[in-house]
Amino acid sequence: MSFVYPAGLWALLGVLALLAAHFIRRRYAQRTVPSAYLWRLSERFLMRMEPARRARRAILLALQVLCLVLCALLIAQPLVVMPGAQTAYVAVLDASGSMQITDAAGETRFARACRAIEKDAAALPWGSRVSVVLAGDEARLAVEDTTPGAALHRALDTLVCDWGAGDLSGAMAICGDLLASGGASQVCLYTDRDVEASGSLSAVSARSAEEWNVCLSPVTAERTGQGMRLRAQLTGTGRDADVLLGVLVDGAAPDAGDVTVTVGGEAQDGLLVHLADGETAEVSVLVAGMKPESSAVLSVQVQDGLLQDNEVRFCGRPSGSTRVLLTGGSTYFLRKALSVFGEVSLECAEACEDPVPAGYDLYIYDGCMPGTLPEDGAVFLIDPPAAPEDSGVVLGETLLGASISAESGLPDGELSALTANLTLREASAARFREVVSCGRMTPVLRCGEMPLLLAGRTAGGGALLLLACDIQETNLPLTADFVALLGNALDFCAPQPLEAQQYLCGDAPALRRMASCGTLYLQNADRSIREVGAQETQLTLRDPGAYALMAQLADGRERLFSFAVHMPPEEGTDAAEPAVLHLGAPNAQALAARERHMPATGILAALLLLLVTVEWMVDERERV
Amino acid sequence: MSAKRNLLDAAFLQTLEAIDLYVHQPENGQGSGLRRSRAYGSSTEFADYRDYAPGDDLRRIDWNLAGRFDRYYIRRFHDEKQGRHCIYIDQSASMGMDEAKATAALQLAAALGYLAVSNMDAVSFRLLRGDRCAELCGWVAGRERFYAAVRQMEALDFGGDTDLGAALRDDRHPGYDDGMSFILSDFLTDSDWKGAADALLARRRECALVQVLSPEEAEPSLSGPCRIIDAERGGAALSMDVDRSARRAYREAVRWFQEEIRRFCVSRGMALLTMRSDEPVGDALLKRGFAEGLIR
């Protein structure tokens, strides 16, 4: 027998201390009584009542010594060879959204897989250990080295299935590590996907023959002259079905005359659609008179195995205007261009005021610049007399112009978005200011080789744009690029909190905050509302449904950004490609080493508990 | 010398006025008293007739019978004698270790003495110490002498080891068929006190045992490992772990011991009065004294 901490055996010295304490404790207290006659008499009675009384103290001492020895062994942690061939069984449990499909009896694939794990674990040899890797939105080792039976059942009961696509590759990586470290000898994947397993991996299907499901893919919207056209794909699996389509616009059903439904290119008389098993139909719904800012819900009304993929949403343009303060003497072109954006609330001023007015999302200064830049919003400086002090930018002489081009090699993200949708085919500037040093700002547009448009951040954290030329000295206002550039600048300076309005379960989109944005609240799919902490840079979207981000702006205004989270369409259709998964052979050496040295702490602890209980029971009889 | 005790108060004495010791007919009482004797004497209570014999007092001839039967009969009357009661007080250390126990024992002795003298009897308090028996103050008759005796008892101290049997046998004048003998003790001794009590019965004395136990003796408060020291003998008597079982055994021993005394008393026709020192003496005497036939 070997020990993990042999030094723990020094605790056996405690036995000597216990024996010493025992005999010291036996010192009698002298008590004088009127007459010892009755005590002598009672001693005879006592001997008759409890013949083994004298042995009890010896038994107690022996039990205490045994307890102490067990404690010393527990500290030293002996390693013993366990009989039988143990198995380190690893179950990979697919926790993707499709595992929540229920069969006719109401049992989900996930529950069926859990049951299968318990059954397979129960058949393992005695002493085997079971681990469970949960392949949800993020793969993780959810249950580590537990025993089959009640412990495994309790652990499986705590696991929850996600709605996104399962991270099977992550789960395989964890299993690979376990195989290499000797923590796994068998790996079995419990999933509803078609899997070609090889190597140490085996697969168990969690599907049932009694399942059927109808799935709608996320909706796309297209603005037409008559209204909005919503498109989605409808897929049925398991059996043929007649499904009833439902359309809601801004929470209400539109007039029947305003809705035109086309399935597979053929116009439908009503909203009832026949769907064959395995068939995917293109559904197009034209809603006359629907505005881009309206929201729509497209649904199929059917009681199938998974209700969460029977409804998809289109979220309309976000509500709430962007307040822009435009300061400058000749701002005609800018005012005209900004009026194109319906969500912009524009105010104009002739000259810079002191103190700087507050409460705007974007401050545009054309040909002028305040002494102190506002910190509660984004700033767009056009042909400023000087560069902001803390930007590090140095402006030089006025140079003769050249053609305008976009900066190449911009990283993906908000900077590259500034040049999105720009053609800049014939854009040029007659004159511009030389940018001697860019400081902490990044060139986005160039005039010839010289930086023309720079992007950075103000001291307050807001966006800062600097255009080093007078707009009237360029031909930009004559091109479509001008509106596109202003639109990009608006998006950069006063961005929507999320990039898109539709996401899939498991996505974690980056959160974009305006400088003027105060507290941000998130309404979840279950209608619960929580405050989004200032440190959160991205949202983790797990449940399908309608979400909303509400921003409380500094000046008291509110902005509402609605977005929808859908299940990945392949989760509802079982249409995913068969996964080819392979795991290498287990590390036999590490596995053997681990099996030989099973710590006996559990047995020792149980023995200790038993002894303490017996000692307590014996001692209790003595206690007065 | 212990602190002076107050053994009798007026209220208690008034209670005692209403009761009397239940004494059977003594034959050898001394002097005249109120106890009806089995001997014939000169009381007013008619007892029997006998034939006239020359020399008899002619005033005792029943002339009515003489007229009817033409024979002379002498009327005989019961004699009324003074009872002579002995109250033996165990003066060992076990009786005096608990002051309440000593006081209770002396109060009970004083109460019995008062019952005796208030009914024209004489009483003698005898102290049992070591193996000797000593009189406190000789025979006491009349209340003046009784109160003087009680004052002496109030200052009585206890101590030493008493051999109850030997001390009782040491009594040189235990009397013969002339009254009652009360033995006040806790009887927690190996001594042969039963033999001594039998010796008193052989002298046609009516005997009564009065056992006084302290609460500590009935329900001890000892716990844990104890070396138990006897207050009378000194030195360690025994070592014992006083736990739940030991306490149960002690209670069994007390019950057995008291039953043993009772069996002895019943077999000898003796009265037994058992009291705890934490109960009022009046209650013990009035409630259990009547039941045991000690008082009436």
Side-chain angles (χ1 to χ4, degrees), chain A residues 26 28-29 31-37 39-40 42-43 46 49-50 53 622 624, chain B residues 94 97 188 190 217 220 222 225-231 238 241-243 245 248 250:
Chain A
R26 289 288 291 169
Y28 288 91
R31 299 291 298 271
T32 303
V33 296
S35 172
Y37 177 78
W39 286 106
R40 283 196 298 272
S42 70
E43 198 178 30
L46 195 57
M49 285 160 58
E50 293 184 12
R53 181 178 170 79
E622 266 203 356
V624 176
Chain B
S94 67
M97 189 174 165
L188 301 177
D190 295 320
E217 284 164 337
L222 300 191
C226 293
R227 201 175 297 284
I228 295 169
I229 295 169
D230 193 316
L238 76 161
D241 267 352
V242 183
D243 53 18
S245 304
R248 200 168 67 239
Y250 185 91

mmCIF file of all heavy atoms in Angstrom, chain A residues 26 28-29 31-37 39-40 42-43 46 49-50 53 622 624, chain B residues 94 97 188 190 217 220 222 225-231 238 241-243 245 248 250:
data_model
loop_
_atom_site.group_PDB
_atom_site.id
_atom_site.type_symbol
_atom_site.label_atom_id
_atom_site.label_comp_id
_atom_site.label_asym_id
_atom_site.label_seq_id
_atom_site.Cartn_x
_atom_site.Cartn_y
_atom_site.Cartn_z
ATOM 1 N N ARG A 26 -9.090 9.673 33.776
ATOM 2 C CA ARG A 26 -9.676 8.718 34.724
ATOM 3 C C ARG A 26 -9.450 9.132 36.166
ATOM 4 O O ARG A 26 -9.795 8.406 37.068
ATOM 5 C CB ARG A 26 -9.064 7.336 34.496
ATOM 6 C CG ARG A 26 -9.518 6.691 33.203
ATOM 7 C CD ARG A 26 -10.938 6.248 33.269
ATOM 8 N NE ARG A 26 -11.095 5.129 34.181
ATOM 9 C CZ ARG A 26 -12.250 4.672 34.594
ATOM 10 N NH1 ARG A 26 -13.351 5.274 34.206
ATOM 11 N NH2 ARG A 26 -12.325 3.661 35.423
ATOM 12 N N TYR A 28 -10.157 10.422 39.599
ATOM 13 C CA TYR A 28 -11.477 10.530 40.218
ATOM 14 C C TYR A 28 -11.576 11.797 41.065
ATOM 15 O O TYR A 28 -10.609 12.199 41.713
ATOM 16 C CB TYR A 28 -11.742 9.323 41.121
ATOM 17 C CG TYR A 28 -11.979 8.052 40.346
ATOM 18 C CD1 TYR A 28 -10.944 7.206 40.014
ATOM 19 C CD2 TYR A 28 -13.259 7.717 39.923
ATOM 20 C CE1 TYR A 28 -11.157 6.051 39.302
ATOM 21 C CE2 TYR A 28 -13.489 6.564 39.209
ATOM 22 C CZ TYR A 28 -12.437 5.726 38.899
ATOM 23 O OH TYR A 28 -12.664 4.595 38.189
ATOM 24 N N ALA A 29 -12.722 12.377 41.088
ATOM 25 C CA ALA A 29 -12.981 13.511 41.970
ATOM 26 C C ALA A 29 -13.436 12.964 43.321
ATOM 27 O O ALA A 29 -14.252 12.037 43.375
ATOM 28 C CB ALA A 29 -14.075 14.382 41.363
ATOM 29 N N ARG A 31 -15.504 12.877 46.517
ATOM 30 C CA ARG A 31 -16.793 13.404 46.975
ATOM 31 C C ARG A 31 -17.151 12.726 48.298
ATOM 32 O O ARG A 31 -17.112 11.494 48.411
ATOM 33 C CB ARG A 31 -17.904 13.125 45.948
ATOM 34 C CG ARG A 31 -17.663 13.761 44.593
ATOM 35 C CD ARG A 31 -17.783 15.267 44.661
ATOM 36 N NE ARG A 31 -19.108 15.692 45.068
ATOM 37 C CZ ARG A 31 -20.111 15.913 44.211
ATOM 38 N NH1 ARG A 31 -19.904 15.759 42.932
ATOM 39 N NH2 ARG A 31 -21.290 16.310 44.645
ATOM 40 N N THR A 32 -17.461 13.528 49.301
ATOM 41 C CA THR A 32 -17.827 12.993 50.612
ATOM 42 C C THR A 32 -19.344 12.888 50.692
ATOM 43 O O THR A 32 -20.059 13.839 50.357
ATOM 44 C CB THR A 32 -17.322 13.924 51.724
ATOM 45 O OG1 THR A 32 -15.909 14.062 51.564
ATOM 46 C CG2 THR A 32 -17.624 13.352 53.098
ATOM 47 N N VAL A 33 -19.805 11.722 51.113
ATOM 48 C CA VAL A 33 -21.245 11.518 51.250
ATOM 49 C C VAL A 33 -21.533 11.169 52.719
ATOM 50 O O VAL A 33 -20.634 10.707 53.428
ATOM 51 C CB VAL A 33 -21.743 10.379 50.339
ATOM 52 C CG1 VAL A 33 -21.552 10.740 48.886
ATOM 53 C CG2 VAL A 33 -21.033 9.073 50.652
ATOM 54 N N PRO A 34 -22.759 11.420 53.210
ATOM 55 C CA PRO A 34 -23.064 11.113 54.610
ATOM 56 C C PRO A 34 -22.733 9.662 54.942
ATOM 57 O O PRO A 34 -22.174 9.360 55.974
ATOM 58 C CB PRO A 34 -24.551 11.399 54.728
ATOM 59 C CG PRO A 34 -24.835 12.367 53.646
ATOM 60 C CD PRO A 34 -23.901 12.056 52.547
ATOM 61 N N SER A 35 -23.115 8.770 54.041
ATOM 62 C CA SER A 35 -22.820 7.362 54.280
ATOM 63 C C SER A 35 -22.627 6.683 52.935
ATOM 64 O O SER A 35 -23.402 6.916 51.994
ATOM 65 C CB SER A 35 -23.981 6.702 55.033
ATOM 66 O OG SER A 35 -23.752 5.309 55.085
ATOM 67 N N ALA A 36 -21.594 5.874 52.850
ATOM 68 C CA ALA A 36 -21.336 5.172 51.594
ATOM 69 C C ALA A 36 -22.093 3.856 51.530
ATOM 70 O O ALA A 36 -21.919 3.086 50.585
ATOM 71 C CB ALA A 36 -19.842 4.922 51.451
ATOM 72 N N TYR A 37 -22.939 3.603 52.566
ATOM 73 C CA TYR A 37 -23.632 2.320 52.641
ATOM 74 C C TYR A 37 -24.466 2.065 51.384
ATOM 75 O O TYR A 37 -24.382 1.009 50.755
ATOM 76 C CB TYR A 37 -24.533 2.315 53.889
ATOM 77 C CG TYR A 37 -25.360 1.074 54.031
ATOM 78 C CD1 TYR A 37 -24.801 -0.112 54.516
ATOM 79 C CD2 TYR A 37 -26.701 1.060 53.693
ATOM 80 C CE1 TYR A 37 -25.566 -1.249 54.646
ATOM 81 C CE2 TYR A 37 -27.464 -0.069 53.805
ATOM 82 C CZ TYR A 37 -26.905 -1.228 54.287
ATOM 83 O OH TYR A 37 -27.659 -2.360 54.397
ATOM 84 N N TRP A 39 -24.184 3.499 48.462
ATOM 85 C CA TRP A 39 -23.353 3.417 47.257
ATOM 86 C C TRP A 39 -22.756 2.025 47.115
ATOM 87 O O TRP A 39 -22.661 1.492 46.008
ATOM 88 C CB TRP A 39 -22.247 4.470 47.300
ATOM 89 C CG TRP A 39 -22.778 5.849 47.034
ATOM 90 C CD1 TRP A 39 -22.960 6.841 47.929
ATOM 91 C CD2 TRP A 39 -23.226 6.347 45.775
ATOM 92 N NE1 TRP A 39 -23.485 7.949 47.326
ATOM 93 C CE2 TRP A 39 -23.667 7.671 45.987
ATOM 94 C CE3 TRP A 39 -23.318 5.816 44.492
ATOM 95 C CZ2 TRP A 39 -24.170 8.463 44.978
ATOM 96 C CZ3 TRP A 39 -23.811 6.615 43.476
ATOM 97 C CH2 TRP A 39 -24.239 7.920 43.726
ATOM 98 N N ARG A 40 -22.337 1.452 48.271
ATOM 99 C CA ARG A 40 -21.807 0.094 48.180
ATOM 100 C C ARG A 40 -22.907 -0.872 47.741
ATOM 101 O O ARG A 40 -22.688 -1.780 46.941
ATOM 102 C CB ARG A 40 -21.235 -0.324 49.545
ATOM 103 C CG ARG A 40 -19.867 0.286 49.839
ATOM 104 C CD ARG A 40 -19.201 -0.448 50.989
ATOM 105 N NE ARG A 40 -19.967 -0.344 52.215
ATOM 106 C CZ ARG A 40 -19.838 0.651 53.101
ATOM 107 N NH1 ARG A 40 -18.961 1.620 52.883
ATOM 108 N NH2 ARG A 40 -20.569 0.680 54.189
ATOM 109 N N SER A 42 -25.470 -0.020 45.916
ATOM 110 C CA SER A 42 -25.806 0.232 44.506
ATOM 111 C C SER A 42 -24.774 -0.395 43.585
ATOM 112 O O SER A 42 -25.089 -0.776 42.453
ATOM 113 C CB SER A 42 -25.905 1.721 44.238
ATOM 114 O OG SER A 42 -24.637 2.320 44.299
ATOM 115 N N GLU A 43 -23.531 -0.497 44.060
ATOM 116 C CA GLU A 43 -22.496 -1.113 43.224
ATOM 117 C C GLU A 43 -22.844 -2.573 42.935
ATOM 118 O O GLU A 43 -22.659 -3.074 41.823
ATOM 119 C CB GLU A 43 -21.151 -1.003 43.923
ATOM 120 C CG GLU A 43 -19.983 -1.195 42.985
ATOM 121 C CD GLU A 43 -18.649 -1.036 43.690
ATOM 122 O OE1 GLU A 43 -18.575 -1.347 44.898
ATOM 123 O OE2 GLU A 43 -17.691 -0.602 43.042
ATOM 124 N N LEU A 46 -25.508 -2.564 40.421
ATOM 125 C CA LEU A 46 -24.979 -2.189 39.109
ATOM 126 C C LEU A 46 -24.306 -3.378 38.437
ATOM 127 O O LEU A 46 -24.488 -3.618 37.237
ATOM 128 C CB LEU A 46 -23.972 -1.041 39.297
ATOM 129 C CG LEU A 46 -23.562 -0.266 38.056
ATOM 130 C CD1 LEU A 46 -24.787 0.317 37.376
ATOM 131 C CD2 LEU A 46 -22.592 0.844 38.427
ATOM 132 N N MET A 49 -26.963 -5.486 37.126
ATOM 133 C CA MET A 49 -27.682 -4.921 35.980
ATOM 134 C C MET A 49 -26.820 -4.922 34.714
ATOM 135 O O MET A 49 -27.308 -5.166 33.613
ATOM 136 C CB MET A 49 -28.118 -3.476 36.286
ATOM 137 C CG MET A 49 -29.299 -3.397 37.238
ATOM 138 S SD MET A 49 -29.436 -1.795 38.046
ATOM 139 C CE MET A 49 -29.559 -0.715 36.686
ATOM 140 N N GLU A 50 -25.541 -4.589 34.863
ATOM 141 C CA GLU A 50 -24.676 -4.482 33.683
ATOM 142 C C GLU A 50 -23.376 -5.236 33.943
ATOM 143 O O GLU A 50 -22.391 -4.654 34.373
ATOM 144 C CB GLU A 50 -24.369 -3.020 33.370
ATOM 145 C CG GLU A 50 -25.580 -2.248 32.918
ATOM 146 C CD GLU A 50 -25.222 -0.816 32.532
ATOM 147 O OE1 GLU A 50 -24.027 -0.528 32.403
ATOM 148 O OE2 GLU A 50 -26.145 -0.027 32.385
ATOM 149 N N ARG A 53 -20.097 -3.849 32.343
ATOM 150 C CA ARG A 53 -19.836 -2.440 32.574
ATOM 151 C C ARG A 53 -18.332 -2.131 32.597
ATOM 152 O O ARG A 53 -17.882 -1.129 32.052
ATOM 153 C CB ARG A 53 -20.481 -2.027 33.893
ATOM 154 C CG ARG A 53 -20.292 -0.573 34.229
ATOM 155 C CD ARG A 53 -21.001 -0.254 35.529
ATOM 156 N NE ARG A 53 -20.651 1.064 35.991
ATOM 157 C CZ ARG A 53 -21.157 2.173 35.541
ATOM 158 N NH1 ARG A 53 -22.052 2.120 34.571
ATOM 159 N NH2 ARG A 53 -20.788 3.343 36.008
ATOM 160 N N GLU A 622 -23.348 6.033 28.765
ATOM 161 C CA GLU A 622 -22.636 6.392 29.985
ATOM 162 C C GLU A 622 -22.984 7.796 30.438
ATOM 163 O O GLU A 622 -22.889 8.117 31.607
ATOM 164 C CB GLU A 622 -21.135 6.344 29.720
ATOM 165 C CG GLU A 622 -20.518 5.034 30.072
ATOM 166 C CD GLU A 622 -19.039 5.180 30.325
ATOM 167 O OE1 GLU A 622 -18.509 6.273 30.154
ATOM 168 O OE2 GLU A 622 -18.433 4.174 30.706
ATOM 169 N N VAL A 624 -24.511 11.183 31.605
ATOM 170 C CA VAL A 624 -25.583 11.456 32.579
ATOM 171 C C VAL A 624 -26.507 12.489 32.007
ATOM 172 O O VAL A 624 -26.049 13.479 31.504
ATOM 173 C CB VAL A 624 -24.980 11.972 33.887
ATOM 174 C CG1 VAL A 624 -26.081 12.354 34.861
ATOM 175 C CG2 VAL A 624 -24.097 10.908 34.492
ATOM 176 N N SER B 94 -23.196 10.819 59.836
ATOM 177 C CA SER B 94 -24.095 10.768 58.683
ATOM 178 C C SER B 94 -25.407 11.498 58.958
ATOM 179 O O SER B 94 -26.043 12.013 58.044
ATOM 180 C CB SER B 94 -24.392 9.319 58.299
ATOM 181 O OG SER B 94 -25.154 8.691 59.313
ATOM 182 N N MET B 97 -24.227 15.495 58.919
ATOM 183 C CA MET B 97 -23.530 16.121 57.792
ATOM 184 C C MET B 97 -24.439 17.112 57.079
ATOM 185 O O MET B 97 -24.018 18.168 56.649
ATOM 186 C CB MET B 97 -23.065 15.047 56.819
ATOM 187 C CG MET B 97 -22.164 15.590 55.747
ATOM 188 S SD MET B 97 -21.510 14.286 54.743
ATOM 189 C CE MET B 97 -20.895 15.241 53.371
ATOM 190 N N LEU B 188 -28.280 3.759 57.819
ATOM 191 C CA LEU B 188 -27.318 3.472 56.740
ATOM 192 C C LEU B 188 -26.053 2.903 57.382
ATOM 193 O O LEU B 188 -25.024 3.564 57.493
ATOM 194 C CB LEU B 188 -27.003 4.755 55.960
ATOM 195 C CG LEU B 188 -28.214 5.426 55.306
ATOM 196 C CD1 LEU B 188 -27.804 6.721 54.616
ATOM 197 C CD2 LEU B 188 -28.856 4.488 54.294
ATOM 198 N N ASP B 190 -23.902 -0.999 58.503
ATOM 199 C CA ASP B 190 -23.836 -2.455 58.450
ATOM 200 C C ASP B 190 -24.051 -3.059 59.839
ATOM 201 O O ASP B 190 -24.089 -4.282 59.993
ATOM 202 C CB ASP B 190 -22.454 -2.894 57.933
ATOM 203 C CG ASP B 190 -22.250 -2.456 56.507
ATOM 204 O OD1 ASP B 190 -23.229 -2.547 55.729
ATOM 205 O OD2 ASP B 190 -21.148 -2.006 56.163
ATOM 206 N N GLU B 217 -29.332 11.879 49.776
ATOM 207 C CA GLU B 217 -29.242 10.433 49.932
ATOM 208 C C GLU B 217 -30.293 9.720 49.082
ATOM 209 O O GLU B 217 -30.038 8.646 48.544
ATOM 210 C CB GLU B 217 -29.420 10.045 51.403
ATOM 211 C CG GLU B 217 -28.186 10.338 52.229
ATOM 212 C CD GLU B 217 -28.467 10.339 53.721
ATOM 213 O OE1 GLU B 217 -29.633 10.546 54.123
ATOM 214 O OE2 GLU B 217 -27.519 10.152 54.481
ATOM 215 N N PRO B 220 -29.029 11.279 44.651
ATOM 216 C CA PRO B 220 -27.704 11.908 44.708
ATOM 217 C C PRO B 220 -27.415 12.753 43.472
ATOM 218 O O PRO B 220 -27.919 12.470 42.379
ATOM 219 C CB PRO B 220 -26.748 10.712 44.784
ATOM 220 C CG PRO B 220 -27.484 9.604 44.163
ATOM 221 C CD PRO B 220 -28.934 9.832 44.447
ATOM 222 N N LEU B 222 -24.250 13.330 42.481
ATOM 223 C CA LEU B 222 -22.897 13.012 41.998
ATOM 224 C C LEU B 222 -22.951 12.636 40.526
ATOM 225 O O LEU B 222 -23.944 12.096 40.046
ATOM 226 C CB LEU B 222 -22.314 11.820 42.769
ATOM 227 C CG LEU B 222 -22.148 11.930 44.280
ATOM 228 C CD1 LEU B 222 -21.329 10.764 44.776
ATOM 229 C CD2 LEU B 222 -21.464 13.221 44.650
ATOM 230 N N PRO B 225 -16.627 10.307 37.215
ATOM 231 C CA PRO B 225 -15.816 9.408 38.029
ATOM 232 C C PRO B 225 -15.590 10.009 39.422
ATOM 233 O O PRO B 225 -15.096 11.129 39.542
ATOM 234 C CB PRO B 225 -14.500 9.296 37.268
ATOM 235 C CG PRO B 225 -14.540 10.293 36.184
ATOM 236 C CD PRO B 225 -15.870 10.892 36.094
ATOM 237 N N CYS B 226 -15.984 9.277 40.450
ATOM 238 C CA CYS B 226 -15.931 9.818 41.811
ATOM 239 C C CYS B 226 -15.256 8.810 42.735
ATOM 240 O O CYS B 226 -15.429 7.599 42.594
ATOM 241 C CB CYS B 226 -17.339 10.073 42.361
ATOM 242 S SG CYS B 226 -18.203 11.362 41.508
ATOM 243 N N ARG B 227 -14.476 9.342 43.647
ATOM 244 C CA ARG B 227 -13.984 8.522 44.744
ATOM 245 C C ARG B 227 -14.869 8.897 45.930
ATOM 246 O O ARG B 227 -14.792 10.019 46.443
ATOM 247 C CB ARG B 227 -12.521 8.826 45.010
ATOM 248 C CG ARG B 227 -11.817 7.716 45.743
ATOM 249 C CD ARG B 227 -10.347 8.009 45.864
ATOM 250 N NE ARG B 227 -9.649 8.085 44.579
ATOM 251 C CZ ARG B 227 -9.305 7.037 43.834
ATOM 252 N NH1 ARG B 227 -9.593 5.826 44.224
ATOM 253 N NH2 ARG B 227 -8.667 7.199 42.699
ATOM 254 N N ILE B 228 -15.717 7.964 46.338
ATOM 255 C CA ILE B 228 -16.747 8.279 47.333
ATOM 256 C C ILE B 228 -16.187 8.044 48.730
ATOM 257 O O ILE B 228 -15.674 6.964 49.034
ATOM 258 C CB ILE B 228 -18.002 7.427 47.076
ATOM 259 C CG1 ILE B 228 -18.596 7.835 45.725
ATOM 260 C CG2 ILE B 228 -19.019 7.614 48.181
ATOM 261 C CD1 ILE B 228 -19.662 6.910 45.214
ATOM 262 N N ILE B 229 -16.270 9.079 49.546
ATOM 263 C CA ILE B 229 -15.702 9.027 50.898
ATOM 264 C C ILE B 229 -16.848 9.036 51.905
ATOM 265 O O ILE B 229 -17.764 9.864 51.813
ATOM 266 C CB ILE B 229 -14.771 10.224 51.134
ATOM 267 C CG1 ILE B 229 -13.584 10.096 50.178
ATOM 268 C CG2 ILE B 229 -14.307 10.306 52.568
ATOM 269 C CD1 ILE B 229 -12.727 11.316 50.107
ATOM 270 N N ASP B 230 -16.781 8.092 52.834
ATOM 271 C CA ASP B 230 -17.821 7.978 53.865
ATOM 272 C C ASP B 230 -17.552 9.021 54.949
ATOM 273 O O ASP B 230 -16.459 9.083 55.509
ATOM 274 C CB ASP B 230 -17.786 6.559 54.454
ATOM 275 C CG ASP B 230 -19.022 6.276 55.280
ATOM 276 O OD1 ASP B 230 -19.412 7.157 56.070
ATOM 277 O OD2 ASP B 230 -19.608 5.187 55.120
ATOM 278 N N ALA B 231 -18.563 9.845 55.254
ATOM 279 C CA ALA B 231 -18.366 10.921 56.231
ATOM 280 C C ALA B 231 -18.132 10.354 57.627
ATOM 281 O O ALA B 231 -17.477 10.993 58.458
ATOM 282 C CB ALA B 231 -19.581 11.845 56.226
ATOM 283 N N LEU B 238 -15.304 3.687 48.095
ATOM 284 C CA LEU B 238 -15.280 3.008 46.794
ATOM 285 C C LEU B 238 -15.112 4.042 45.693
ATOM 286 O O LEU B 238 -15.355 5.246 45.902
ATOM 287 C CB LEU B 238 -16.547 2.189 46.563
ATOM 288 C CG LEU B 238 -17.836 2.920 46.202
ATOM 289 C CD1 LEU B 238 -18.795 1.929 45.588
ATOM 290 C CD2 LEU B 238 -18.461 3.565 47.404
ATOM 291 N N ASP B 241 -17.779 5.284 38.516
ATOM 292 C CA ASP B 241 -18.211 6.228 37.487
ATOM 293 C C ASP B 241 -19.706 6.418 37.651
ATOM 294 O O ASP B 241 -20.482 5.505 37.378
ATOM 295 C CB ASP B 241 -17.930 5.653 36.092
ATOM 296 C CG ASP B 241 -16.587 6.117 35.593
ATOM 297 O OD1 ASP B 241 -15.985 6.978 36.258
ATOM 298 O OD2 ASP B 241 -16.142 5.607 34.550
ATOM 299 N N VAL B 242 -20.097 7.573 38.119
ATOM 300 C CA VAL B 242 -21.523 7.792 38.357
ATOM 301 C C VAL B 242 -22.140 8.252 37.045
ATOM 302 O O VAL B 242 -22.010 9.403 36.654
ATOM 303 C CB VAL B 242 -21.751 8.822 39.476
ATOM 304 C CG1 VAL B 242 -23.237 8.959 39.745
ATOM 305 C CG2 VAL B 242 -21.017 8.402 40.723
ATOM 306 N N ASP B 243 -22.747 7.359 36.339
ATOM 307 C CA ASP B 243 -23.417 7.685 35.091
ATOM 308 C C ASP B 243 -24.894 7.329 35.244
ATOM 309 O O ASP B 243 -25.385 7.110 36.353
ATOM 310 C CB ASP B 243 -22.777 6.926 33.930
ATOM 311 C CG ASP B 243 -22.697 5.440 34.190
ATOM 312 O OD1 ASP B 243 -23.428 4.972 35.075
ATOM 313 O OD2 ASP B 243 -21.907 4.756 33.510
ATOM 314 N N SER B 245 -26.514 4.684 34.409
ATOM 315 C CA SER B 245 -26.759 3.343 34.948
ATOM 316 C C SER B 245 -26.501 3.320 36.445
ATOM 317 O O SER B 245 -27.258 2.682 37.207
ATOM 318 C CB SER B 245 -25.850 2.336 34.253
ATOM 319 O OG SER B 245 -26.041 2.394 32.879
ATOM 320 N N ARG B 248 -29.308 4.762 38.263
ATOM 321 C CA ARG B 248 -30.463 3.863 38.287
ATOM 322 C C ARG B 248 -30.241 2.770 39.336
ATOM 323 O O ARG B 248 -31.154 2.427 40.098
ATOM 324 C CB ARG B 248 -30.664 3.253 36.900
ATOM 325 C CG ARG B 248 -32.056 2.705 36.699
ATOM 326 C CD ARG B 248 -32.362 2.358 35.266
ATOM 327 N NE ARG B 248 -31.567 1.240 34.804
ATOM 328 C CZ ARG B 248 -30.734 1.274 33.773
ATOM 329 N NH1 ARG B 248 -30.598 2.389 33.100
ATOM 330 N NH2 ARG B 248 -30.058 0.214 33.409
ATOM 331 N N TYR B 250 -28.443 3.046 41.976
ATOM 332 C CA TYR B 250 -28.553 3.663 43.310
ATOM 333 C C TYR B 250 -30.025 3.761 43.736
ATOM 334 O O TYR B 250 -30.388 3.443 44.872
ATOM 335 C CB TYR B 250 -27.908 5.049 43.278
ATOM 336 C CG TYR B 250 -27.853 5.719 44.631
ATOM 337 C CD1 TYR B 250 -26.737 5.557 45.449
ATOM 338 C CD2 TYR B 250 -28.911 6.483 45.110
ATOM 339 C CE1 TYR B 250 -26.685 6.150 46.702
ATOM 340 C CE2 TYR B 250 -28.868 7.083 46.354
ATOM 341 C CZ TYR B 250 -27.745 6.914 47.142
ATOM 342 O OH TYR B 250 -27.705 7.503 48.382
#
